[in-house]
Amino acid sequence: GSMVRHLSCCVGALCAALIFSTQGQHVSAFADVLQLSAGGLSSSAAASSSRMQSIARGVGRSFRTLSASVESVDTDVISEDDKSLAIEEARAKLQPHFNFPLDSWQLEAGYEILQERNVIVSAPTGAGKTVVGEMALWSAFERNLNAIYTTPLKALSNQKFVELRKIFGADNVGLATGDMSINRAARITVMTTEVYRNMAWRASGSKKADAEDAGDEEDDDETAYSDLVSNDVVVLDEFHYMGMPGRGGVWEECIITSPPHTKIVGLSATLPNADRLAQWMSSVTGRQTNLVEAAKKRPVPLRYLYASSEGLNSMFRDPDAGPGSPNGLLGLRGDGKPEKQKSGRSSKQKKKGFSAEEPEVIKEGKFPKGLQVNPTLLQAIEKKRQKIDRRIHRKALKQREEYGDEWGGQPREARLSAREEQKERDRMMRQEMRRSVPSLPFLLRRLNQKNLLPSIFFIFSRAGCDDAARYVCNDMRQKLKIRNNQGGGEDELADEPRKGKRKSRRRGRGGGRRQDNSDQDWYSDESTNLARDESGRSFRRGSGNVSDQTMASIFDAESRMIDRDDESSDGSNPYEEYAGLGLLDLSAVTEVAARVAAFNEENPELAFDDEEAECFMFGVGSHHAGMLAAHKAFVESLFKAQLMKAVFATETLAAGINMPARTTVVCSMAKRGDNSAMNLLETSNLLQMAGRAGRRGMDTEGTCVVVATPFEGPTEAQSILTSEVNPIKSQFTPSYSLATNLVARGEGKLDVARSLVEKSFAMWEQSEANAALSGDDNEQDTDDVLQAIAEERFMDTLKEALLSLLAKGKFDKPARQKSRVYAIVDVISNRKMLKKESKGYLALSRMLELELNTLQYLEREVRAMDLPSDNAEEDDLLGDLFAEDINHLEEEMETQKKRVKKSERDVNTHVFANMAGYANTVLLGSGPEAEALQALLAEARPDKSNDPVSAEELTTFAKSATVVSRKKRKLMSKGAGSLDKSSTQSLLDSIFDVGSFEENTWNDMLALINVLEAYGCITPQDEAVFDTQDQTYAMTQAGKNIGMLGMDNALWGLVAMGGAWDVANESAELDDFRSAMESFESDEGDNIGTASAEDVSSGASDEISKPQQEAEELISLLRDLTPHEIAGYVSCLVSEGSRGSSSVVESFMNLTPAQQPVIQRCLLSLERLMDVQKRLSVDETSSKCQLDLSTCDVVTAWASGCSWSEALEISGSAPGDLARTLHRALDALRQFGNLPYAPVRATAHLPQTESFGIHPEIRRLCRSAAAAMDRYPVKDPLPFDEDEGEVIEPDEVPGEGADDIKEEVAVDE
């Protein structure tokens, strides 16, 4: 009976039991349900339903949450004993492949892989999550199946390729990136995520045809499918890139389109919504996906220090607190060990008097006490404030003495005004903060003294990295001169951070016993039980993570040595001074010098200069994207070999490249964002940089040093480190390539495209949010909160729209308009001011209403007294009696009218009245600002009306903006349905981010389909169907080309090569406009094209549309180019723009005579495509077209055979930027050259209803240009298919010898 009552209350648990049962158990399970509903249950059935009972006890009330979270149910079902057995089973199968003990969470993930389940691993940086990826590769390798390992960066792919070749053998590992292809037939292939996405799309498009055994000839799709048929698992490294704007959608597409037989292993940094990602993956792939989280305590704990000119101090009050530290966040958000609360303050603490000097941030109690800023740092700030107060006071006294009262003989009060005083305080505080910034040599010496090297210094500037390395090396050279001149020891100089700085004086009786935290040496050999090898590397003795056999092999390993002559002619070693002044010992300096010499000898064009070589021998280097790949690889090799102690790098080094560092130094807490404004670092970015410190198996602890800046202090650092990491949000956006692939996959239908949109992470979150927030108990409260959120977001979006229009100069004239808009922005930004102004407007409105009522009353009184009666004598008598009263009322009316006008003026000039006016201006306009504001207004209005916004309505929105947080807290206090408070908050935050995602994304997809149809890339098959969603399309050759191009706007790439044009003539109005403009020109016209172009146009029929004529002229001009000229032209389509590039006119004049008319004709095609995209409402992100001329000259020169030094001189850019420019051009040329061969059709210049794709001769030119560009240091072997063919007539049969030749090359890392 109790079981019946229990299951009656938990109907969802029964459904869950059916979900987890097999097909064979369904019949008996349903029979049990029927018996339960009848009120009886047999003993055998009751015994067989024990699994349902155990599930029901751990489920809860909500069926939606239970069925969505597969993992949570399994966790309740599997006992600890079963879990231990599973871990031991995984250990027996996987441990032999690793020479170090595996952690329990790694084995748990390995067990899930062995059970053929998807896995998402969420672990801190440096915890060893890549080991799980290697487990997945071993599980497939041992069963003679293939595996794929993906990374988001080519540098990471190259690094992983080298590592896996050492593990699995060179013959068993291949590489596939946009730059190179090596041994693609290998059992294990390392590739970038985009490459796998393209393979998955082509494979998914051919699965149906393969299942039906259509017998079609083999194509690229079937080749891609065959590549994935035997693929058992795909490892998606750096899975948290899914939340990156612009690229995150690639990870979603990989998950949605992966074949059903392929397991997915996602390796991610710590994410707050990793469990929801696992649930979404389960629903999309149909395969159970489990989340495995590493212990929040890092295997190599972190410590956080704050560096200033006074030295190094612990960041937090508790030195063991912080993200990834031994004590974690002290219980904040469930992380770490909760600190023990003490009742009262000890007498010793009271005697020190810290409480009187501590700022408000400590007294607020926002963080656990141990997470509060170190009092030593706060006292230093307080001392600076006191110093400023004294200086302000002295300045005021000085002014009193200088400006006395000359008439009375008494000194008058010559005080600074409050504004002047605050301005002076700010200036002095900036000076003090600048003085607190430590110099890099001083900081490096401190780190070296505390045995905290090697270290990575993160600087968010390429030039800053190089300047920092040079500055440190120059300081080391300068010390040599000082030591030789003064004869003093270097240690004495190293201890002085600044000349003339006085030593701090100790006060008080206990001063002699106080210890400075900055002098604590956590990395002394005695305190950390370190062992050192001959190379000076430090390792832990008796570590549980490294076996004795492994430790012995590390100590006995001999580094690769190069034959060299270490002694000069006089018998002295020339490298002794570098060893004495720098960070390396003599043997390490000698090894570095030999490596530099060998590199320069092998790469004369890329040789390091003397200054760079000297930095390397000092043990210092830089690493950033502005360097050549070979130079970056050289720096990485030195750092890994412990031959470089300090590297100054940009944050790209924190993206997963394995460079062991004991310490990371974050030199700035802010970086420049997309809007060119300086923004504080996000918590995830700072934690990722901090996670580079303390590599497993090498250090007992890692250290993250946050450096003081002139603008940020320890409170900002504490705020960033203790803030919550933002959850991943869907970044799925459609593109032309995606649209064509979806049409092909759906055999001409758009069902697959619609299904993809519905399977995206954003749509899944929206459906989950709607389901979780639809309970009857709190439905009304939820609606109120969502309404308030919509109104709040309308106000915030209005502010962003006004700022965007201000930046575009929309409100520059008249001048008063700009100031009014800025006033509106200030009011919306300040919630207190917004509330105050809202109430002020309502008060003025009520006052105006009262004044109007008074005026109306007076008018009625006057009319009543002036009404005529039937008796004339009576009228005369009343007139005489009321004359005085009427005059008085009329005077009152005049006065009242003035009051009304004043009230109207106050209301109409109020900031909320201006706000309503500008809001309506934005709403009635066009562009992304108007679209965003219109969408949010529709959400904020329950009736969905299109009426203009009124000021009264905005006051309602303002009130919601000020109370929405309180409404959220009220709802979370109850919880939304069966969700807890944190889940409710997450749903409320996400529901509006994805509120109209499906509709908007699907509309964007339809817009792309319409443009593809207009440009003849797809053709409709059913003329009776007018709705795009119901139409069936056929793919043309141009559409197939677009599906194979990996550009941001693949359609524009094909249009610029003459392969597609406006077949439907959607841009007819543009031609009319051009004709009207031409009528104002001279009769001779403007000869844009060359003679060949004129021949083409003169022979064209009058029936040929203008777009087709332009395309044929462009093709003719392109065919006249040489390979090196077409290489420069293609670079214009994909260039990111060089830094400090010249003007457009200057860049155009640098083009060759043959390139100039091509660019002019291309501009016409560009204008036409932009017009069509705008008419068909294509999203701005998808419609972006590039035509940058700044790199055309240098790419043309490189393809024509110029040297690397000449190319650097022509470009004027950094070597890394130039290499990236050439790589992008080379990659685009390869894409065009690898498009399928299509013979030229003898159209005789007839009107065409579809586009033909790239011309064979242009395709051949691209292949020749790629071959010319593919030379060192740009050379990346990727041979083309040998399918060259001649231009043939249409009655001949096209022959394609599509032999896919892959060449194995040796890569010297």
Side-chain angles (χ1 to χ4, degrees):
S2 62
M3 179 180 176
V4 172
R5 288 191 298 273
H6 181 70
L7 293 179
S8 298
C9 298
C10 300
V11 180
L14 284 174
C15 300
L18 299 180
I19 290 174
F20 293 111
S21 60
T22 61
Q23 289 287 349
Q25 296 170 324
H26 279 181
V27 177
S28 59
F30 276 115
D32 292 344
V33 173
L34 292 177
Q35 291 184 9
L36 284 171
S37 62
L41 183 67
S42 62
S43 59
S44 60
S48 64
S49 61
S50 60
R51 176 175 172 82
M52 290 192 294
Q53 294 181 48
S54 62
I55 293 177
R57 295 190 186 100
V59 166
R61 297 184 307 168
S62 173
F63 167 67
R64 288 184 299 272
T65 305
L66 181 140
S67 59
S69 179
V70 177
E71 178 195 1
S72 62
V73 177
D74 279 355
T75 303
D76 292 336
V77 173
I78 298 178
S79 63
E80 290 298 328
D81 294 339
D82 295 338
K83 187 175 181 179
S84 300
L85 292 175
I87 291 177
E88 291 304 320
E89 179 182 348
R91 190 190 306 275
K93 293 183 178 180
L94 299 174
Q95 184 62 70
H97 300 299
F98 301 92
N99 56 1
F100 53 86
L102 298 173
D103 288 343
S104 59
W105 66 269
Q106 293 172 332
L107 292 170
E108 183 182 352
Y111 175 79
E112 300 295 340
I113 295 172
L114 296 176
Q115 296 301 311
E116 300 296 318
R117 302 188 185 112
N118 295 335
V119 179
I120 294 181
V121 176
S122 179
T125 303
K129 53 181 175 289
T130 55
V131 172
V132 179
E134 295 178 10
M135 290 178 179
L137 300 182
W138 276 114
S139 68
F141 189 79
E142 289 183 333
R143 291 179 293 153
N144 294 324
L145 297 174
N146 294 346
I148 293 175
Y149 195 105
T150 72
T151 72
L153 304 175
K154 295 176 183 178
L156 285 178
S157 298
N158 297 338
Q159 184 184 82
K160 203 65 188 178
F161 170 69
V162 175
E163 293 176 1
L164 294 180
R165 281 164 66 98
K166 297 177 181 178
I167 298 174
F168 295 95
D171 296 336
N172 295 320
V173 181
L175 178 67
T177 66
D179 292 338
M180 62 181 65
S181 179
I182 304 173
N183 193 19
R184 281 291 298 273
R187 299 267 301 280
I188 297 173
T189 307
V190 182
M191 60 182 65
T192 55
T193 315
E194 282 80 3
V195 172
Y196 175 74
R197 186 270 310 270
N198 296 337
M199 290 179 60
W201 271 126
R202 292 194 293 268
S204 61
S206 61
K207 284 185 289 186
K208 191 169 184 178
D210 182 77
E212 295 174 356
D213 194 18
D216 296 337
E217 60 182 80
E218 182 178 359
D219 57 9
D220 291 336
D221 287 351
E222 293 181 359
T223 302
Y225 183 48
S226 63
D227 289 342
L228 296 182
V229 164
S230 59
N231 188 69
D232 178 65
V233 65
V234 56
V235 180
L236 302 177
D237 201 357
E238 306 294 336
F239 190 66
H240 52 272
Y241 269 59
M242 181 177 165
M244 176 182 291
R247 293 188 62 195
V250 175
W251 276 257
E252 287 189 64
E253 295 174 31
C254 288
I255 293 171
I256 294 173
T257 60
S258 288
H261 65 273
T262 301
K263 296 191 297 291
I264 300 175
V265 178
L267 309 179
S268 171
T270 304
L271 294 173
N273 61 338
D275 56 338
R276 299 185 65 78
L277 286 171
Q279 297 170 24
W280 165 70
M281 193 184 296
S282 295
S283 65
V284 169
T285 62
R287 184 191 295 264
Q288 183 175 337
T289 304
N290 288 348
L291 171 66
V292 176
E293 294 183 288
K296 292 186 178 180
K297 184 177 180 181
R298 281 171 49 101
V300 181
L302 285 175
R303 295 186 188 272
Y304 295 90
L305 302 180
Y306 185 78
S308 66
S309 58
E310 299 177 357
L312 299 176
N313 290 276
S314 175
M315 173 70 69
F316 301 104
R317 181 188 288 267
D318 182 357
D320 292 334
S325 296
N327 293 339
L329 296 180
L330 300 177
L332 183 65
R333 294 190 296 272
D335 186 352
K337 305 174 183 177
E339 61 183 357
K340 297 180 180 179
Q341 300 294 335
K342 296 182 180 180
S343 58
R345 189 185 300 270
S346 66
S347 60
K348 187 175 181 180
Q349 290 174 326
K350 290 180 180 179
K351 188 174 181 180
K352 291 181 179 180
F354 285 159
S355 59
E357 298 181 359
E358 292 175 3
E360 293 298 325
V361 67
I362 292 183
K363 297 179 181 179
E364 288 177 359
K366 183 178 179 181
F367 301 101
K369 187 175 181 180
L371 277 182
Q372 295 169 357
V373 179
N374 188 352
T376 303
L377 302 176
L378 297 177
Q379 288 173 7
I381 297 176
E382 186 63 26
K383 288 180 181 178
K384 290 182 175 65
R385 292 197 183 101
Q386 294 174 2
K387 180 180 178 181
I388 292 173
D389 290 340
R390 291 192 296 269
R391 292 174 62 185
I392 293 290
H393 182 66
R394 286 196 298 267
K395 187 172 183 179
L397 290 177
K398 185 177 181 181
Q399 285 185 349
R400 291 179 188 177
E401 295 175 358
E402 292 179 356
Y403 303 100
D405 191 346
E406 299 178 359
W407 291 273
Q410 298 294 329
R412 64 182 178 88
E413 291 292 330
R415 298 178 56 188
L416 292 173
S417 66
R419 182 178 181 181
E420 292 174 342
E421 182 177 339
Q422 185 60 42
K423 187 176 180 180
E424 188 69 13
R425 286 181 183 277
D426 294 340
R427 185 186 66 82
M428 292 180 179
M429 180 55 73
R430 285 195 297 270
Q431 289 180 348
E432 293 296 329
M433 293 187 71
R434 289 193 188 97
R435 294 192 184 101
S436 66
V437 178
S439 67
L440 289 175
F442 167 69
L443 183 57
L444 197 56
R445 287 194 295 268
R446 279 287 187 264
L447 294 176
N448 194 20
Q449 290 170 4
K450 294 180 178 297
N451 197 19
L452 295 179
L453 298 180
S455 62
I456 301 175
F457 289 74
F458 287 106
I459 300 176
F460 307 126
S461 167
R462 300 178 185 179
C465 293
D466 295 333
D467 292 342
R470 284 193 293 266
Y471 178 62
V472 169
C473 293
N474 290 335
D475 179 79
M476 294 178 180
R477 298 189 199 99
Q478 189 68 21
K479 280 211 295 273
L480 175 61
K481 298 178 181 178
I482 297 175
R483 186 177 62 178
N484 294 336
N485 293 336
Q486 298 180 356
E490 182 186 353
D491 294 339
E492 298 178 4
L493 297 172
D495 290 337
E496 292 294 333
R498 184 177 287 107
K499 245 184 180 181
K501 182 176 176 64
R502 293 179 301 175
K503 294 183 179 180
S504 60
R505 292 174 294 180
R506 294 177 179 176
R507 300 180 181 179
R509 297 175 58 186
R513 294 188 297 270
R514 291 183 58 184
Q515 296 180 357
D516 187 0
N517 291 334
S518 64
D519 292 334
Q520 183 178 356
D521 191 352
W522 286 313
Y523 282 101
S524 61
D525 293 346
E526 293 79 5
S527 61
T528 57
N529 193 24
L530 292 180
R532 297 181 182 273
D533 64 355
E534 295 179 353
S535 301
R537 294 177 295 178
S538 301
F539 302 90
R540 290 178 287 177
R541 293 191 182 96
S543 171
N545 298 320
V546 182
S547 63
D548 294 337
Q549 181 180 0
T550 305
M551 185 69 73
S553 64
I554 293 176
F555 284 147
D556 296 337
E558 294 182 358
S559 59
R560 178 177 61 89
M561 300 297 292
I562 303 175
D563 294 336
R564 54 189 175 268
D565 185 8
D566 294 339
E567 294 186 355
S568 60
S569 58
D570 59 357
S572 62
N573 194 318
Y575 306 127
E576 288 182 354
E577 64 178 23
Y578 296 105
L581 294 173
L583 304 175
L584 303 176
D585 56 22
L586 180 59
S587 61
V589 173
T590 306
E591 173 70 12
V592 170
R595 293 195 181 198
V596 172
F599 181 90
N600 289 347
E601 182 179 356
E602 296 171 1
N603 307 277
E605 283 198 359
L606 310 180
F608 294 108
D609 56 30
D610 294 341
E611 186 179 24
E612 292 173 322
E614 197 171 27
C615 286
F616 294 155
M617 288 188 287
F618 278 127
V620 178
S622 58
H623 186 287
H624 54 79
M627 299 169 58
L628 282 173
H631 287 181
K632 288 193 293 184
F634 184 82
V635 171
E636 293 169 11
S637 65
L638 291 182
F639 200 83
K640 291 177 183 178
Q642 301 292 318
L643 298 176
M644 182 175 288
K645 296 298 184 181
V647 58
F648 298 91
T650 55
E651 62 177 336
T652 54
L653 191 62
I657 297 178
N658 185 20
M659 288 181 62
R662 177 168 291 174
T663 304
T664 57
V665 182
V666 182
C667 297
S668 176
M669 287 174 268
K671 61 176 293 188
R672 195 171 300 279
D674 296 335
N675 56 356
S676 298
M678 295 299 293
N679 303 317
L680 285 178
L681 293 175
E682 292 187 2
T683 302
S684 58
N685 292 343
L686 183 54
L687 292 182
Q688 190 170 19
M689 287 184 280
R692 295 293 106 189
R695 286 297 175 170
R696 190 171 186 178
M698 300 184 68
D699 300 316
T700 56
E701 291 174 340
T703 303
C704 174
V705 179
V706 181
V707 182
T709 71
F711 308 100
E712 298 89 21
T715 54
E716 286 79 8
Q718 178 224 31
S719 176
I720 298 173
L721 287 170
T722 55
S723 297
E724 195 168 2
V725 178
N726 294 327
I728 281 183
K729 295 182 181 179
S730 176
Q731 302 296 331
F732 175 79
T733 53
S735 63
Y736 286 110
S737 298
L738 177 61
T740 53
N741 282 316
L742 290 174
V743 172
R745 184 184 177 193
E747 298 182 345
K749 291 286 187 180
L750 301 185
D751 299 339
V752 176
R754 188 66 188 235
S755 175
L756 174 70
V757 174
E758 293 174 350
K759 288 182 177 180
S760 65
F761 182 53
M763 273 304 303
W764 179 86
E765 278 205 313
Q766 181 180 357
S767 61
E768 288 292 304
N770 292 336
L773 296 176
S774 60
D776 295 335
D777 296 339
N778 59 344
E779 185 172 0
Q780 184 60 43
D781 293 338
T782 301
D783 292 341
D784 293 342
V785 173
L786 297 181
Q787 178 72 20
I789 292 175
E791 295 172 353
E792 178 197 29
R793 297 204 174 186
F794 177 86
M795 299 296 292
D796 293 337
T797 306
L798 174 61
K799 181 190 71 173
E800 297 299 330
L802 293 177
L803 287 174
S804 176
L805 294 176
L806 278 170
K808 297 177 181 178
K810 299 294 185 182
F811 302 123
D812 288 349
K813 295 181 180 180
R816 288 183 302 173
Q817 182 175 226
K818 190 173 185 180
S819 62
R820 285 197 295 263
V821 176
Y822 272 117
I824 294 172
V825 171
D826 292 340
V827 169
I828 299 177
S829 302
N830 191 327
R831 288 294 189 255
K832 291 184 178 179
M833 188 183 300
L834 183 65
K835 182 179 180 180
K836 179 181 178 181
E837 295 294 342
S838 174
K839 290 183 176 181
Y841 179 82
L842 292 176
L844 290 175
S845 299
R846 301 297 178 267
M847 182 62 68
L848 175 60
E849 183 180 355
L850 179 61
E851 299 290 357
L852 289 172
N853 291 337
T854 303
L855 180 61
Q856 292 173 3
Y857 170 77
L858 293 175
E859 291 174 346
R860 287 197 302 269
E861 288 295 321
V862 171
R863 286 196 300 268
M865 292 183 180
D866 201 26
L867 287 177
S869 63
D870 296 337
N871 190 338
E873 295 180 358
E874 185 178 348
D875 287 343
D876 295 338
L877 179 61
L878 292 176
D880 295 337
L881 291 175
F882 294 148
E884 184 176 353
D885 293 338
I886 291 175
N887 292 335
H888 179 70
L889 287 175
E890 288 177 349
E891 291 177 0
E892 290 289 337
M893 284 178 57
E894 292 300 325
T895 304
Q896 188 62 29
K897 286 180 180 178
K898 293 180 181 180
R899 293 177 178 174
V900 170
K901 287 182 178 180
K902 181 181 182 302
S903 297
E904 288 178 344
R905 184 170 59 254
D906 292 341
V907 170
N908 294 332
T909 58
H910 194 272
V911 65
F912 264 82
N914 295 332
M915 190 185 301
Y918 286 111
N920 289 319
T921 301
V922 176
L923 288 168
L924 295 176
S926 59
E929 297 89 356
E931 295 176 359
L933 205 60
Q934 290 165 3
L936 284 172
L937 182 60
E939 294 289 343
R941 285 178 169 174
D943 56 355
K944 309 294 182 183
S945 65
N946 295 323
D947 297 336
V949 176
S950 64
E952 288 78 6
E953 187 177 17
L954 289 180
T955 58
T956 304
F957 292 178
K959 181 179 179 181
S960 297
T962 56
V963 302
V964 64
S965 299
R966 177 161 48 86
K967 289 188 175 183
K968 284 183 181 180
R969 289 194 298 269
K970 180 180 177 182
L971 181 60
M972 286 189 293
S973 64
K974 299 188 300 181
S978 61
L979 301 179
D980 56 15
K981 296 179 182 180
S982 61
S983 300
T984 304
Q985 176 67 52
S986 176
L987 292 175
L988 289 174
D989 289 341
S990 64
I991 189 169
F992 275 95
D993 292 335
V994 298
S996 56
F997 176 84
E998 180 182 15
E999 181 180 357
N1000 294 339
T1001 306
W1002 180 239
N1003 290 337
D1004 293 342
M1005 182 72 73
L1006 293 179
L1008 296 176
I1009 295 293
N1010 291 331
V1011 175
L1012 289 171
E1013 180 182 349
Y1015 269 75
C1017 301
I1018 55 176
T1019 56
Q1021 300 299 296
D1022 193 345
E1023 297 181 355
V1025 178
F1026 298 98
D1027 191 353
T1028 304
Q1029 304 182 62
D1030 301 328
Q1031 184 61 264
T1032 302
Y1033 294 95
M1035 191 70 61
T1036 66
Q1037 186 64 33
K1040 294 178 181 178
N1041 288 171
I1042 290 174
M1044 298 182 66
L1045 292 176
M1047 303 176 180
D1048 295 336
N1049 191 332
L1051 177 59
W1052 162 235
L1054 191 63
V1055 168
M1057 303 300 286
W1061 61 89
D1062 182 12
V1063 173
N1065 205 16
E1066 285 283 344
S1067 56
E1069 293 185 12
L1070 178 63
D1071 293 329
D1072 296 339
F1073 175 76
R1074 289 177 178 176
S1075 300
M1077 294 298 296
E1078 289 174 359
S1079 64
F1080 293 98
E1081 298 177 355
S1082 61
D1083 296 334
E1084 295 180 357
D1086 187 9
N1087 294 325
I1088 296 178
T1090 61
S1092 59
E1094 293 173 359
D1095 295 339
V1096 172
S1097 60
S1098 62
S1101 172
D1102 294 338
E1103 298 179 357
I1104 297 179
S1105 64
K1106 193 68 174 178
Q1108 183 177 342
Q1109 294 180 35
E1110 292 177 358
E1112 292 178 352
E1113 293 170 3
L1114 181 59
I1115 291 173
S1116 177
L1117 293 171
L1118 289 172
R1119 291 172 64 185
D1120 291 339
L1121 296 180
T1122 61
H1124 62 270
E1125 288 176 331
I1126 204 166
Y1129 172 71
V1130 169
S1131 71
C1132 299
L1133 309 179
V1134 295
S1135 172
E1136 297 176 330
S1138 60
R1139 301 192 172 201
S1141 57
S1142 56
S1143 64
V1144 177
V1145 176
E1146 185 179 350
S1147 299
F1148 182 79
M1149 297 305 297
N1150 291 333
L1151 304 181
T1152 65
Q1155 288 175 330
Q1156 290 181 356
V1158 174
I1159 294 297
Q1160 291 175 319
R1161 187 61 62 186
C1162 179
L1163 285 172
L1164 298 178
S1165 300
L1166 173 61
E1167 184 182 13
R1168 189 176 300 279
L1169 177 60
M1170 295 296 291
D1171 181 72
V1172 173
Q1173 290 183 142
K1174 185 176 181 180
R1175 291 178 184 278
L1176 298 180
S1177 303
V1178 176
D1179 181 71
E1180 185 176 358
T1181 304
S1182 305
S1183 63
K1184 183 179 179 181
C1185 302
Q1186 291 184 207
L1187 188 63
D1188 181 24
L1189 308 183
S1190 61
T1191 60
C1192 183
D1193 55 348
V1194 65
V1195 175
T1196 302
W1198 178 258
S1200 63
C1202 77
S1203 65
W1204 178 252
S1205 58
E1206 291 173 340
L1208 283 174
E1209 184 177 356
I1210 294 173
S1211 67
S1213 58
D1217 293 334
L1218 175 59
R1220 186 164 53 256
T1221 296
L1222 298 177
H1223 270 298
R1224 289 179 68 89
L1226 177 58
D1227 180 61
L1229 288 168
R1230 284 170 171 167
Q1231 291 189 50
F1232 287 127
N1234 275 335
L1235 292 177
Y1237 173 85
V1240 177
R1241 302 184 184 182
T1243 60
H1245 310 300
L1246 298 175
Q1248 300 299 319
T1249 59
E1250 63 180 57
S1251 299
F1252 299 146
I1254 192 169
H1255 193 281
E1257 290 188 10
I1258 298 176
R1259 172 177 174 270
R1260 182 183 293 109
L1261 285 172
C1262 292
R1263 297 161 73 92
S1264 300
M1269 290 189 65
D1270 193 17
R1271 54 193 176 90
Y1272 194 77
V1274 185
K1275 180 177 179 59
D1276 285 323
L1278 182 61
F1280 291 106
D1281 300 337
E1282 294 184 353
D1283 55 354
E1284 292 287 359
E1286 298 295 332
V1287 178
I1288 58 177
E1289 298 298 327
D1291 53 351
E1292 298 182 19
V1293 179
E1296 290 190 88
D1299 299 327
D1300 190 18
I1301 301 176
K1302 302 298 180 182
E1303 178 182 353
E1304 169 115 20
V1305 297
V1307 179
D1308 183 11
E1309 291 291 323

